[in-house]
Amino acid sequence: MKIKQLLLLLICVFSSVLLFSQEYKYKDNDGVKTFHDGSMFIKEGVPFLTVKGESYEMGLQYGVLMNDQILELDVKVDSIVETFVGKFFLKKWIANKVLKSKIRKIEKRMPKEFLEELEGMAEGCDLNLKEVKTIAYFPQIFFDISCTSFVLKNEDGIVHGRNLDWPGIEIFTHYPLIVNYHRKGKIPTTILTFVSYPGAYTGMNHNGLSLSINMNGCPVPEGKKKSDYNTDMPMPYKLRQVMENADELSEVDEMFKNYSTHAWFITVGSKKDHSAAMYELTRGELIKNDMKGNMIAVTNLSLSDKGRFEYSPINMHSDLNIAREDKLKELNREIKNQDLVEKAYQMISSTEYYHLQHDPFYIAINNDMTVKSCIMDNTNNKIYFSYSERLAGLGQFLEYDITSGKVSVFKEAKVSPTLNDLNSKLAFFKWHRENFASGKKHDNEYYMALIKYAKSSKFEPAYKNRLIAVCYSNIGNQDKALEFANKYIENRPKYNSAYTTKINILNDFKDYKAVISTIDEMLKVAIVTPADQFYVKKDLVIAYDKLQVQSPDQKNIDRIRQLAKEITEEANKYFLAERIKKDLSQIDKIVAKYN
């Protein structure tokens, strides 16, 4: 009797497992996978996914159709976590606790429809919900973005160009994904993303409204935290919500009106308006910049006077931002091509830095952090895009016609001296990792090994001379250090880094008169931004102070006072961040010595 009861119990348990577990299978028809109303095909290594229905159903289709890619990426994400926190059990345990805490904070601000999508994904793929959420939230938890966005228009149409600069996520570029979301009752939307990441950093709805995100690096005021302003849904999900509900700028205005966040720029192109705008969302406030003329463009520095000066400290006005701004304006003026897609392509693929065709330190529009380059053709409902670990603007571009679903090659990958130079540097970094322990104090033998490698390398000459100069300085060989520092300046006479390299070497050898003359030369000859002026004038104050110890002279004191006045006046035109206040305090202490 007991055996019969046990068998009956086992049958009931097994039946309940069968009842509540369901194996989802897709159909495959000539390379096009289908499941329910969803479909997926791969072209040129890129999956193109379409999901339709309510939130959970869209997530389910996503999970079933993308299961193989989701599982493969999950393994990669685990390895990235290990590189961040190490394999040591306690570190991983702490990291997991921190990760769970961050996920909980994000989820408190997530709308129900996006949480339901993630639940559907977990149901459809072979990961559990926690694992799906970890991948879905991972990029915005661990990484910051630095990007370029612009919209061009003429009488024939309007296009939206965008480079996504996102250091640290190189592995995700091997898992690109184009998703067409057809949420029931909403405007269909196409986003350019990565596998398992349902947020949108770049996308366009099928009515021709395009959006892209740039990060604004301005700090919060003293006594405040970012979380004081980040009270609404995370920005990448807000973008999807906007695209699914708006098709003109006035509707975008309404959707951002009461939205609170900090330090984002949103560039919006509108086919219906035949115009564009850039929204600054900072400190819980909204500032709208309307398109004037044939272009609106943004890097990581505000366009509005309020954002640019009142909210941004002087250090943000460096060539990291200014150079890309200036180059966008220059290219827009000089490229006369009436075909806006071709014009936008030339702009997003540019590796130029002012007069230099190839920038040795990658401050260009297309740089060593650019993991995705794209053009959204609002007028014709097409997107053109490239994904790569670096310099994506030089990669192969695909053309995707959203209406017809046709995919073709738009541009083949470019062969460029910039790419060759980058590859030589990556080879150097690999050699360095394999041969030298990180964090270890280096001796003369180490620096001589670097000099030997650099001299035989295929480095771009300016980069090579800089590296050799710094190494000679570190082993105390002043003559050789200055020889190569001067070669660096000869290679790049307008490049501010060439002068700051020499200035640092001269400081190492306490040659303060030469420091002063080099800074004076830099200010006369080189391309200098407000940030450059601030920092080299601070260096001048320090140099004059140290020169006064070596060779007392009232002229040194007079110059210190004059420079301090200039520096303070210039810094006060901008937001005084804590780091700038510390710099000014250091200068005040030097001035006070001579009062």
Side-chain angles (χ1 to χ4, degrees):
M1 186 67 180
K2 286 184 178 180
I3 293 174
K4 286 183 179 181
Q5 289 176 333
L6 181 60
L7 285 172
L8 184 62
L9 178 62
L10 288 172
I11 290 169
C12 289
V13 169
F14 184 68
S15 299
S16 65
V17 169
L18 288 176
L19 182 65
F20 291 104
S21 67
Q22 183 175 357
E23 184 180 354
Y24 298 103
K25 291 186 177 180
Y26 57 79
K27 296 177 182 177
D28 195 329
N29 183 15
D30 292 330
V32 179
K33 295 179 180 179
T34 59
F35 174 75
H36 292 182
D37 290 331
S39 63
M40 190 274 283
F41 65 91
I42 297 175
K43 190 71 180 281
E44 299 289 336
V46 179
F48 293 79
L49 173 68
T50 298
V51 293
K52 299 179 179 180
E54 302 284 3
S55 299
Y56 185 88
E57 175 62 22
M58 288 198 302
L60 181 64
Q61 294 166 21
Y62 191 131
V64 172
L65 294 168
M66 296 298 298
N67 184 50
D68 293 344
Q69 291 86 351
I70 291 170
L71 291 177
E72 190 177 333
L73 180 60
D74 180 58
V75 175
K76 303 292 185 182
V77 169
D78 283 346
S79 68
I80 294 173
V81 172
E82 285 190 353
T83 63
F84 270 87
V85 302
K87 298 181 180 181
F88 183 51
F89 170 77
L90 183 59
K91 279 187 176 181
K92 290 185 75 172
W93 180 81
I94 293 170
N96 281 324
K97 295 285 283 184
V98 172
L99 190 60
K100 285 179 184 177
S101 173
K102 287 180 178 289
I103 287 174
R104 281 196 298 270
K105 288 178 181 177
I106 290 173
E107 293 212 310
K108 286 179 182 177
R109 302 186 284 122
M110 284 281 283
K112 181 182 177 184
E113 63 263 30
F114 295 119
L115 292 174
E116 288 175 352
E117 269 187 41
L118 295 176
E119 290 167 2
M121 285 173 64
E123 174 67 17
C125 74
D126 291 331
L127 297 183
N128 61 42
L129 183 57
K130 177 193 167 188
E131 292 167 326
V132 166
K133 288 180 177 179
T134 298
I135 302 177
Y137 300 145
F138 186 80
Q140 64 201 70
I141 289 174
F142 282 98
F143 307 106
D144 292 332
I145 62 173
S146 170
C147 309
T148 299
S149 294
F150 60 88
V151 176
L152 303 172
K153 72 173 183 178
N154 60 20
E155 62 274 15
D156 297 326
I158 181 168
V159 302
H160 186 151
R162 187 286 199 289
N163 276 355
L164 176 66
D165 302 340
W166 202 342
I169 69 156
E170 290 81 8
I171 193 65
F172 286 85
T173 66
H174 297 279
Y175 299 88
L177 177 63
I178 309 301
V179 188
N180 299 299
Y181 286 102
H182 293 253
R183 191 186 303 280
K184 187 176 180 180
K186 301 294 182 181
I187 302 170
T189 295
T190 299
I191 66 169
L192 300 93
T193 185
F194 306 98
V195 170
S196 296
Y197 187 68
Y201 282 87
T202 313
M204 180 170 69
N205 72 24
H206 297 191
N207 292 349
L209 186 87
S210 58
L211 287 90
S212 63
I213 296 176
N214 288 33
M215 185 168 279
N216 171 9
C218 76
V220 296
E222 191 174 350
K224 290 283 189 178
K225 302 188 295 291
K226 285 186 179 181
S227 57
D228 294 333
Y229 304 109
N230 292 333
T231 57
D232 284 305
M233 76 177 80
M235 180 57 77
Y237 297 93
K238 182 65 177 179
L239 247 65
R240 274 193 58 193
Q241 186 188 64
V242 171
M243 286 186 282
E244 290 177 350
N245 290 278
D247 63 1
E248 58 184 62
L249 295 173
S250 62
E251 293 172 344
V252 178
D253 295 347
E254 287 299 312
M255 295 197 71
F256 278 133
K257 185 181 288 183
N258 297 311
Y259 177 73
S260 179
T261 188
H262 176 67
W264 296 102
F265 299 143
I266 310 300
T267 304
V268 184
S270 170
K271 174 183 178 180
K272 190 171 182 179
D273 296 291
H274 194 68
S275 191
M278 195 282 281
Y279 297 82
E280 300 176 20
L281 295 114
T282 306
R283 301 184 185 180
E285 297 179 32
L286 173 66
I287 301 172
K288 181 183 179 185
N289 300 274
D290 290 309
M291 187 178 198
K292 296 175 183 177
N294 72 334
M295 182 180 80
I296 188 167
V298 66
T299 58
N300 301 104
L301 189 61
S302 296
L303 300 185
S304 71
D305 285 344
K306 185 173 186 178
R308 203 172 182 89
F309 296 98
E310 189 176 330
Y311 289 166
S312 303
I314 194 169
N315 62 283
M316 286 184 60
H317 294 252
S318 69
D319 55 1
L320 293 172
N321 290 317
I322 302 290
R324 284 180 291 147
E325 281 188 346
D326 289 346
K327 182 54 68 173
L328 285 166
K329 293 172 186 174
E330 177 191 321
L331 293 173
N332 182 45
R333 287 192 308 269
E334 293 184 354
I335 300 173
K336 303 301 182 184
N337 199 328
Q338 187 70 10
D339 185 332
L340 291 181
V341 173
E342 286 288 345
K343 180 174 182 176
Y345 170 72
Q346 290 181 58
M347 292 171 71
I348 62 174
S349 62
S350 171
T351 56
E352 298 174 7
Y353 172 87
Y354 292 105
H355 60 294
L356 303 179
Q357 288 298 307
H358 303 288
D359 169 36
F361 291 98
Y362 310 109
I363 303 172
I365 295 166
N366 177 32
N367 56 67
D368 66 338
M369 298 186 296
T370 304
V371 296
K372 179 176 70 184
S373 288
C374 71
I375 304 158
M376 295 174 283
D377 185 343
N378 306 66
T379 305
N380 298 302
N381 250 29
K382 294 181 179 182
I383 58 174
Y384 305 79
F385 63 90
S386 170
Y387 287 79
S388 181
E389 288 190 0
R390 298 168 183 84
L391 293 167
L394 298 178
Q396 182 192 64
F397 273 73
L398 299 183
E399 174 184 345
Y400 176 47
D401 187 320
I402 294 171
T403 305
S404 69
K406 182 182 176 182
V407 180
S408 58
V409 175
F410 173 59
K411 298 284 185 184
E412 293 293 353
K414 284 184 178 181
V415 177
S416 164
T418 300
L419 187 58
N420 294 336
D421 181 53
L422 175 60
N423 288 334
S424 70
K425 289 172 188 172
L426 293 175
F428 168 62
F429 299 149
K430 182 174 183 290
W431 169 82
H432 190 275
R433 285 194 305 272
E434 291 172 351
N435 288 277
F436 304 102
S438 61
K440 183 181 177 182
K441 188 174 181 180
H442 300 304
D443 54 18
N444 287 6
E445 185 180 346
Y446 163 79
Y447 291 112
M448 288 306 299
L450 263 58
I451 290 168
K452 182 180 179 181
Y453 185 101
K455 285 183 175 180
S456 64
S457 73
K458 295 181 180 180
F459 289 155
E460 189 271 342
Y463 184 89
K464 177 186 291 191
N465 289 325
R466 176 186 177 275
L467 177 59
I468 295 172
V470 170
C471 287
Y472 274 125
S473 182
N474 284 324
I475 62 177
N477 191 329
Q478 182 176 3
D479 291 340
K480 281 290 186 181
L482 289 175
E483 175 189 335
F484 284 92
N486 286 326
K487 285 182 179 180
Y488 184 15
I489 292 175
E490 288 172 17
N491 294 139
R492 295 287 182 261
K494 290 186 176 295
Y495 201 73
N496 61 60
S497 170
Y499 296 90
T500 56
T501 297
K502 184 176 179 180
I503 291 162
N504 291 336
I505 290 169
L506 292 167
N507 271 315
D508 287 343
F509 294 103
K510 298 179 172 54
D511 189 348
Y512 302 117
K513 282 187 177 180
V515 167
I516 291 164
S517 63
T518 304
I519 292 176
D520 287 341
E521 182 186 2
M522 173 185 171
L523 291 172
K524 290 175 185 174
V525 176
I527 298 166
V528 291
T529 63
D532 296 326
Q533 293 232 21
F534 176 81
Y535 286 113
V536 295
K537 284 186 175 181
K538 177 193 168 190
D539 289 341
L540 270 177
V541 169
I542 295 169
Y544 273 113
D545 178 45
K546 292 182 176 179
L547 182 61
Q548 180 65 11
V549 175
Q550 291 178 345
S551 306
D553 189 327
Q554 182 61 38
K555 290 180 181 178
N556 296 334
I557 298 171
D558 294 342
R559 191 73 180 113
I560 287 169
R561 288 170 176 161
Q562 179 59 36
L563 284 165
K565 182 182 176 184
E566 291 174 11
I567 292 167
T568 302
E569 287 176 354
E570 193 62 27
N572 277 298
K573 293 178 183 177
Y574 306 88
F575 173 67
L576 288 177
E578 284 303 300
R579 62 187 292 182
I580 302 301
K581 288 180 181 178
K582 288 179 182 177
D583 289 327
L584 294 176
S585 176
Q586 183 183 0
I587 292 168
D588 288 342
K589 287 178 181 176
I590 292 172
V591 173
K593 288 162 58 175
Y594 304 105
N595 288 338

PDB file of all heavy atoms in Angstrom, residues 493-504:
ATOM      1  N   PRO A 493      53.812  70.768 -33.181  1.00  0.00           N
ATOM      2  CA  PRO A 493      54.052  72.096 -32.593  1.00  0.00           C
ATOM      3  C   PRO A 493      52.803  72.792 -32.046  1.00  0.00           C
ATOM      4  O   PRO A 493      52.931  73.708 -31.247  1.00  0.00           O
ATOM      5  CB  PRO A 493      54.660  72.888 -33.756  1.00  0.00           C
ATOM      6  CG  PRO A 493      54.240  72.158 -34.989  1.00  0.00           C
ATOM      7  CD  PRO A 493      54.177  70.721 -34.614  1.00  0.00           C
ATOM      8  N   LYS A 494      51.609  72.350 -32.454  1.00  0.00           N
ATOM      9  CA  LYS A 494      50.388  72.974 -31.941  1.00  0.00           C
ATOM     10  C   LYS A 494      49.650  72.098 -30.921  1.00  0.00           C
ATOM     11  O   LYS A 494      48.590  72.454 -30.437  1.00  0.00           O
ATOM     12  CB  LYS A 494      49.444  73.307 -33.102  1.00  0.00           C
ATOM     13  CG  LYS A 494      49.933  74.436 -33.989  1.00  0.00           C
ATOM     14  CD  LYS A 494      48.885  74.814 -35.016  1.00  0.00           C
ATOM     15  CE  LYS A 494      49.328  76.002 -35.845  1.00  0.00           C
ATOM     16  NZ  LYS A 494      49.459  77.225 -35.022  1.00  0.00           N
ATOM     17  N   TYR A 495      50.232  70.964 -30.604  1.00  0.00           N
ATOM     18  CA  TYR A 495      49.579  69.978 -29.742  1.00  0.00           C
ATOM     19  C   TYR A 495      49.958  70.251 -28.289  1.00  0.00           C
ATOM     20  O   TYR A 495      51.142  70.170 -27.923  1.00  0.00           O
ATOM     21  CB  TYR A 495      50.034  68.587 -30.180  1.00  0.00           C
ATOM     22  CG  TYR A 495      49.143  67.447 -29.765  1.00  0.00           C
ATOM     23  CD1 TYR A 495      47.912  67.240 -30.384  1.00  0.00           C
ATOM     24  CD2 TYR A 495      49.541  66.563 -28.773  1.00  0.00           C
ATOM     25  CE1 TYR A 495      47.110  66.185 -30.021  1.00  0.00           C
ATOM     26  CE2 TYR A 495      48.741  65.494 -28.408  1.00  0.00           C
ATOM     27  CZ  TYR A 495      47.530  65.305 -29.036  1.00  0.00           C
ATOM     28  OH  TYR A 495      46.729  64.253 -28.670  1.00  0.00           O
ATOM     29  N   ASN A 496      48.985  70.566 -27.436  1.00  0.00           N
ATOM     30  CA  ASN A 496      49.322  71.007 -26.075  1.00  0.00           C
ATOM     31  C   ASN A 496      50.063  69.942 -25.266  1.00  0.00           C
ATOM     32  O   ASN A 496      50.888  70.256 -24.420  1.00  0.00           O
ATOM     33  CB  ASN A 496      48.073  71.510 -25.339  1.00  0.00           C
ATOM     34  CG  ASN A 496      47.006  70.458 -25.179  1.00  0.00           C
ATOM     35  OD1 ASN A 496      47.208  69.426 -24.573  1.00  0.00           O
ATOM     36  ND2 ASN A 496      45.829  70.724 -25.730  1.00  0.00           N
ATOM     37  N   SER A 497      49.764  68.660 -25.535  1.00  0.00           N
ATOM     38  CA  SER A 497      50.426  67.582 -24.800  1.00  0.00           C
ATOM     39  C   SER A 497      51.936  67.579 -25.017  1.00  0.00           C
ATOM     40  O   SER A 497      52.696  67.181 -24.129  1.00  0.00           O
ATOM     41  CB  SER A 497      49.845  66.231 -25.217  1.00  0.00           C
ATOM     42  OG  SER A 497      50.603  65.168 -24.706  1.00  0.00           O
ATOM     43  N   ALA A 498      52.383  68.024 -26.195  1.00  0.00           N
ATOM     44  CA  ALA A 498      53.825  68.063 -26.465  1.00  0.00           C
ATOM     45  C   ALA A 498      54.528  68.990 -25.470  1.00  0.00           C
ATOM     46  O   ALA A 498      55.625  68.689 -24.972  1.00  0.00           O
ATOM     47  CB  ALA A 498      54.068  68.521 -27.901  1.00  0.00           C
ATOM     48  N   TYR A 499      53.895  70.111 -25.175  1.00  0.00           N
ATOM     49  CA  TYR A 499      54.494  71.085 -24.255  1.00  0.00           C
ATOM     50  C   TYR A 499      54.370  70.632 -22.801  1.00  0.00           C
ATOM     51  O   TYR A 499      55.316  70.786 -22.021  1.00  0.00           O
ATOM     52  CB  TYR A 499      53.833  72.454 -24.448  1.00  0.00           C
ATOM     53  CG  TYR A 499      54.087  73.018 -25.827  1.00  0.00           C
ATOM     54  CD1 TYR A 499      53.214  72.754 -26.871  1.00  0.00           C
ATOM     55  CD2 TYR A 499      55.217  73.785 -26.099  1.00  0.00           C
ATOM     56  CE1 TYR A 499      53.446  73.236 -28.150  1.00  0.00           C
ATOM     57  CE2 TYR A 499      55.460  74.285 -27.381  1.00  0.00           C
ATOM     58  CZ  TYR A 499      54.571  73.989 -28.402  1.00  0.00           C
ATOM     59  OH  TYR A 499      54.811  74.472 -29.653  1.00  0.00           O
ATOM     60  N   THR A 500      53.212  70.062 -22.445  1.00  0.00           N
ATOM     61  CA  THR A 500      53.052  69.622 -21.045  1.00  0.00           C
ATOM     62  C   THR A 500      53.997  68.472 -20.719  1.00  0.00           C
ATOM     63  O   THR A 500      54.453  68.344 -19.576  1.00  0.00           O
ATOM     64  CB  THR A 500      51.595  69.217 -20.755  1.00  0.00           C
ATOM     65  OG1 THR A 500      51.166  68.205 -21.678  1.00  0.00           O
ATOM     66  CG2 THR A 500      50.662  70.419 -20.855  1.00  0.00           C
ATOM     67  N   THR A 501      54.324  67.653 -21.723  1.00  0.00           N
ATOM     68  CA  THR A 501      55.315  66.593 -21.500  1.00  0.00           C
ATOM     69  C   THR A 501      56.673  67.202 -21.153  1.00  0.00           C
ATOM     70  O   THR A 501      57.329  66.787 -20.188  1.00  0.00           O
ATOM     71  CB  THR A 501      55.438  65.704 -22.757  1.00  0.00           C
ATOM     72  OG1 THR A 501      54.187  65.061 -23.003  1.00  0.00           O
ATOM     73  CG2 THR A 501      56.532  64.645 -22.575  1.00  0.00           C
ATOM     74  N   LYS A 502      57.086  68.191 -21.928  1.00  0.00           N
ATOM     75  CA  LYS A 502      58.373  68.857 -21.657  1.00  0.00           C
ATOM     76  C   LYS A 502      58.326  69.586 -20.314  1.00  0.00           C
ATOM     77  O   LYS A 502      59.309  69.561 -19.546  1.00  0.00           O
ATOM     78  CB  LYS A 502      58.705  69.837 -22.784  1.00  0.00           C
ATOM     79  CG  LYS A 502      60.073  70.500 -22.616  1.00  0.00           C
ATOM     80  CD  LYS A 502      60.412  71.400 -23.800  1.00  0.00           C
ATOM     81  CE  LYS A 502      61.771  72.079 -23.591  1.00  0.00           C
ATOM     82  NZ  LYS A 502      62.137  72.955 -24.732  1.00  0.00           N
ATOM     83  N   ILE A 503      57.194  70.232 -20.007  1.00  0.00           N
ATOM     84  CA  ILE A 503      57.050  70.956 -18.730  1.00  0.00           C
ATOM     85  C   ILE A 503      57.229  70.007 -17.554  1.00  0.00           C
ATOM     86  O   ILE A 503      57.930  70.319 -16.576  1.00  0.00           O
ATOM     87  CB  ILE A 503      55.677  71.660 -18.674  1.00  0.00           C
ATOM     88  CG1 ILE A 503      55.637  72.818 -19.678  1.00  0.00           C
ATOM     89  CG2 ILE A 503      55.370  72.157 -17.272  1.00  0.00           C
ATOM     90  CD1 ILE A 503      54.234  73.288 -20.014  1.00  0.00           C
ATOM     91  N   ASN A 504      56.622  68.833 -17.622  1.00  0.00           N
ATOM     92  CA  ASN A 504      56.737  67.849 -16.533  1.00  0.00           C
ATOM     93  C   ASN A 504      58.183  67.384 -16.362  1.00  0.00           C
ATOM     94  O   ASN A 504      58.663  67.204 -15.228  1.00  0.00           O
ATOM     95  CB  ASN A 504      55.823  66.656 -16.808  1.00  0.00           C
ATOM     96  CG  ASN A 504      54.361  67.006 -16.701  1.00  0.00           C
ATOM     97  OD1 ASN A 504      53.994  67.964 -16.016  1.00  0.00           O
ATOM     98  ND2 ASN A 504      53.509  66.252 -17.380  1.00  0.00           N
TER      99      ASN A 504
END
